[in-house]
Amino acid sequence: VEKKQSIIEEIAYRDTWGKGISSYLSMMYERLKLMHNLLANDGSIYVHCDGRVNSYLRLLLDDIFGKDNYLNEIIWQKIRTTKAQSTGFGIVHDSIFLYSKSNKTKFNNQYKEFDEKYIASHYKKDSEGKLFRTVSLVQKGKGPARKFGDKTLEPPAGMHWIWSQDRIDEAMANGIIKFTSNGRPEKIQYLENMEGDIVDDLWHDIFPINSQALEAVGYPTQKPEDLLERIIKASSNEGDLVADFFCGSGTTAAVAEKLGRKWITTDLGRFSVHTARKRLIGVQRELQENGKDFRAFELLNLGKYERQFFMDDLTNGK
């Protein structure tokens, strides 16, 4: 069923796209600037977009947040099947830009399940049958030599040993450093001691929402909860405040509530606000059924406050 737009939605759409990309960027610049001002000093922002505007938004974000505060362009594979194209390859991904407010930003590494094929091809068994792999002990950047037992080894040219001498001594004593056939030391990493495969900036393990998904609420741009769970866990801790100013179906708020974060969420669309409200009531019921604490939330209609603001101005002769 087609949802009729309100007057404010029609005006907002004209303001956003009325003059093409220039009006869209003007709208986004003002809002991103405001978000930057509101963001905590140790906070970060995730901006999701597709290939039509990602290069423009990257420039805006560089200007507002600063190039030094650019952290990642995350590539999310949102489409799993694509049709043959006559002029190029099928587009199956979106970009998610991650920027920090400062160099004090919070970040918690995230992990995913290991791929069985990767385990089979990259891990070996030791004499006790435990699976292990070896990983490099050097990174870019010149550094001093270190002692590995009775050997003093220089790192390769332009590289440095990632561990201090004390940590190397401890690792040697614990037998977790192995030498390759050409004498290069590497760390032994046991599969049983790892939380999982560390998440990088290529996200192909989170599937998009379809009409059959249990979490589907019938909103056309709904994002999967797994996507927001990864983002919220990576860049906030329990009790922190999470904000989404283009909330759509309310996924950010729903996930934030389940993860014990405080949240603020907004949207101009009536359908969006009603969808998010209904969804958050569902989250409350879910938490209650599972014997968990749940909180009340308040729905504020900016339009009413906006009208009151103008009435006060008129009354005061402004």
Side-chain angles (χ1 to χ4, degrees), residues 216-233:
V217 296
Y219 196 88
T221 59
Q222 182 182 351
K223 303 300 182 295
E225 291 194 4
D226 285 347
L227 182 70
L228 273 300
E229 181 177 340
R230 177 172 291 174
I231 288 171
I232 291 172
K233 283 183 174 179

Side-chain angles (χ1 to χ4, degrees), residues 79-83 92:
I79 297 175
R80 301 296 151 156
T81 58
T82 184
K83 297 179 181 178
V92 298

